[in-house]
Structure formats: structure tokens, C-alpha cells
């Protein structure tokens, strides 16, 4: 008779996300995953596969959670520029999470050597850029954002600024500097 799982999959997967997010793929050993996730090595292999498969599941889980947060933000009834500001500020106001971004970290660490990671990262970036593009269009339609700006170019610009901020937040100690970067970025929309 097969044993039933004695853990909730998303709970242990969230622990894998945390460990990979802090340490990266290469620096995380299977034993550290076993210890941190609190399940047996065999359970990891049976449920998720090898370390790489677990890493991909962790990236997918993180991406899904981030997409849900972005959708909830966009659904708020607020001015478009305020939504974009909140989008950027959510990067520097992380409570209970590691600094930076698991997707960005993974792209930097493995993007050139792992096509599967590169594809997931690119897909994640594309979804975010599309969200920014749609916000810019709405902002232009209601007169909040300069109608002469090219929406695609502005969404690329905002994406680049956001990625830079997500990288910078890992080492920046001056919160005022990060806020000024956000203010300068948003000033481009006037």
C-alpha cells in the first residue's frame, strides 16, 4: 500500500523558493533542501524530481505568486501613475522576504547556461512588460500619461528601470536613493 504524503506540497515548495532565492541554484545542496524543507530526500525526488526539476517548480511557483500580486495591484481603483508607483515601491518594501527578485537572480545566475531557466525568465519578463504596456495605454487614454510617448518604448523603459531596481535593492542601504530613482522614472511619464 502506498504511503500518503505527510506534507502540503505548496508549503514545502515555498520553503524551496526561500532557500533558492537566498542562496541561488548552484550554492544550494540537496542536503540543505532536505533540512530546510523538512522532508526526506526520497520525498523530494518522488514529488518534484531532481534538484533542477525542484528549482524549476520553485521558479514557477514564485512567478505565479508574483503574477497574482501584480494582477491584484492592477485591479485596484487608483490612478494609473499611482499603480505604477506602487508596482515599483513593492520592490523596495518587502516584508518577510529576501531582497531582490528570485526570477532576476535566476536569470543572472543561470540564464546563459540553462535554456529552461532562460525561457521561464523571458516569459516572466514578457508578462510584466505587457502589464506595464497596458497600464501606459490606459494612462494615455485617460490623460494621465503623455499621449505623445510611444507605449511600447515606455513599457521597455519601465521594465528596464524595474529590473534595475530589483537588482539594486539587494545592496542599497539608502532607501531615499531608491525612492528618488522611482520618482525620476515616473517623471518620464509626464
Amino acid at each position: 500500500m502506498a504511503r500518503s504524503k505527510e506534507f502540503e506540497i505548496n508549503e514545502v515548495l515555498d520553503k524551496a523558493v526561500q532557500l533558492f532565492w537566498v542562496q541561488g541554484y548552484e550554492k544550494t545542496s540537496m542536503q540543505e533542501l532536505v533540512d530546510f524543507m523538512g522532508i526526506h530526500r526520497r520525498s523530494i525526488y518522488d514529488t518534484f524530481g531532481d534538484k533542477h526539476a525542484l528549482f524549476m517548480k520553485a521558479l514557477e511557483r514564485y512567478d505565479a505568486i508574483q503574477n497574482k500580486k501584480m494582477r491584484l495591484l492592477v485591479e485596484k481603483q487608483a490612478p494609473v501613475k499611482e499603480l505604477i508607483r506602487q508596482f515599483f515601491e513593492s520592490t523596495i518594501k518587502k516584508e518577510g522576504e529576501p531582497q531582490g527578485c528570485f526570477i532576476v537572480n535566476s536569470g543572472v545566475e543561470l540564464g546563459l547556461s540553462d535554456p529552461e531557466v532562460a525561457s521561464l525568465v523571458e516569459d516572466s519578463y514578457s508578462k510584466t512588460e505587457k502589464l506595464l504596456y497596458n497600464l501606459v495605454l490606459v494612462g494615455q487614454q485617460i490623460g494621465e500619461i503623455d499621449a505623445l510617448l510611444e507605449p511600447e518604448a515606455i513599457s521597455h523603459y519601465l521594465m528596464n528601470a524595474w529590473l534595475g531596481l530589483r537588482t539594486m535593492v539587494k545592496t542599497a542601504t539608502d532607501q531615499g536613493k531608491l525612492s528618488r530613482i522611482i520618482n525620476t522614472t515616473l517623471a518620464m511619464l509626464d
Side-chain angles (χ1 to χ4, degrees):
M1 183 166 150
R3 287 183 55 192
S4 63
K5 293 198 183 336
E6 297 175 6
F7 56 88
E8 204 283 312
I9 290 177
N10 286 333
E11 285 179 16
V12 296
L13 192 53
D14 288 342
K15 290 180 181 181
V17 167
Q18 292 294 310
L19 190 60
F20 282 130
W21 189 351
V22 171
Q23 295 187 177
Y25 177 77
E26 293 294 337
K27 291 184 180 175
T28 302
S29 71
M30 277 304 289
Q31 188 56 52
E32 288 171 310
L33 287 163
V34 167
D35 295 342
F36 196 77
M37 293 170 71
I39 62 175
H40 299 287
R41 185 180 301 258
R42 183 83 253 151
S43 294
I44 291 174
Y45 286 114
D46 290 346
T47 306
F48 303 106
D50 63 10
K51 177 182 162 185
H52 188 267
L54 172 60
F55 182 75
M56 293 306 299
K57 292 277 189 216
L59 273 177
E60 290 165 3
R61 172 104 172 123
Y62 176 85
D63 188 46
I65 290 168
Q66 295 307 306
N67 285 328
K68 183 177 180 182
K69 286 179 183 178
M70 287 188 287
R71 281 193 312 274
L72 291 174
L73 175 68
V74 171
E75 290 171 2
K76 289 182 178 180
Q77 298 297 319
V80 170
K81 284 171 59 175
E82 180 57 30
L83 291 175
I84 295 172
R85 175 176 296 284
Q86 289 175 23
F87 178 75
F88 275 80
E89 287 178 347
S90 70
T91 296
I92 61 175
K93 295 178 180 172
K94 293 198 176 248
E95 295 179 21
E97 292 184 342
Q99 289 297 329
C101 171
F102 183 34
I103 296 283
V104 172
N105 295 353
S106 300
V108 170
E109 180 185 8
L110 301 171
L112 293 175
S113 62
D114 188 323
E116 196 174 358
V117 170
S119 177
L120 189 145
V121 169
E122 181 61 33
D123 182 58
S124 178
Y125 288 177
S126 294
K127 287 184 275 190
T128 302
E129 204 166 80
K130 183 176 181 178
L131 177 137
L132 290 168
Y133 175 83
N134 289 332
L135 283 173
V136 170
L137 282 179
V138 170
Q140 288 178 318
Q141 291 167 356
I142 62 175
E144 275 190 59
I145 295 175
D146 183 348
L148 297 176
L149 296 173
E150 171 25 60
E152 186 174 16
I154 292 300
S155 67
H156 293 284
Y157 171 79
L158 291 172
M159 183 67 180
N160 185 62
W162 184 63
L163 289 172
L165 193 63
R166 291 187 89 143
T167 303
M168 232 179 136
V169 76
K170 290 185 73 156
T171 58
T173 56
D174 182 354
Q175 293 296 305
K177 179 180 181 178
L178 298 174
S179 292
R180 288 188 298 277
I181 290 170
I182 293 171
N183 291 338
T184 302
T185 301
L186 294 176
M188 297 297 293
L189 302 176
D190 295 328

Short mmCIF file of all heavy atoms in Angstrom, two decimals, residues 27 75 82 118 165 167:
data_model
loop_
_atom_site.label_atom_id
_atom_site.label_comp_id
_atom_site.label_asym_id
_atom_site.label_seq_id
_atom_site.Cartn_x
_atom_site.Cartn_y
_atom_site.Cartn_z
N LYS A 27 24.64 27.18 -5.25
CA LYS A 27 25.11 27.14 -3.86
C LYS A 27 24.19 26.35 -2.93
O LYS A 27 24.50 26.20 -1.76
CB LYS A 27 25.29 28.56 -3.33
CG LYS A 27 26.44 29.28 -3.98
CD LYS A 27 26.64 30.64 -3.36
CE LYS A 27 27.80 31.35 -4.04
NZ LYS A 27 27.96 32.72 -3.54
N GLU A 75 -5.88 45.68 -10.49
CA GLU A 75 -7.33 45.70 -10.32
C GLU A 75 -7.79 46.79 -9.34
O GLU A 75 -8.98 47.08 -9.27
CB GLU A 75 -7.82 44.33 -9.84
CG GLU A 75 -7.71 43.27 -10.92
CD GLU A 75 -8.00 41.87 -10.41
OE1 GLU A 75 -8.33 41.69 -9.22
OE2 GLU A 75 -7.87 40.93 -11.22
N GLU A 82 -0.24 56.12 -10.06
CA GLU A 82 -0.14 55.63 -8.68
C GLU A 82 0.04 54.11 -8.67
O GLU A 82 0.79 53.56 -7.87
CB GLU A 82 -1.36 56.04 -7.86
CG GLU A 82 -1.32 55.58 -6.42
CD GLU A 82 -0.10 56.05 -5.64
OE1 GLU A 82 0.45 57.13 -5.92
OE2 GLU A 82 0.32 55.30 -4.72
N ALA A 118 16.20 30.23 -18.76
CA ALA A 118 16.14 31.42 -19.61
C ALA A 118 14.74 31.62 -20.20
O ALA A 118 14.23 32.74 -20.24
CB ALA A 118 17.18 31.31 -20.73
N LEU A 165 16.02 48.27 -10.44
CA LEU A 165 15.65 48.49 -9.04
C LEU A 165 15.63 47.16 -8.27
O LEU A 165 16.11 47.10 -7.13
CB LEU A 165 14.28 49.16 -8.97
CG LEU A 165 13.85 49.74 -7.65
CD1 LEU A 165 14.77 50.87 -7.22
CD2 LEU A 165 12.41 50.24 -7.75
N THR A 167 17.43 44.65 -8.78
CA THR A 167 18.82 44.25 -8.56
C THR A 167 19.47 45.13 -7.51
O THR A 167 20.13 44.64 -6.59
CB THR A 167 19.60 44.33 -9.89
OG1 THR A 167 18.94 43.51 -10.86
CG2 THR A 167 21.03 43.87 -9.72
#
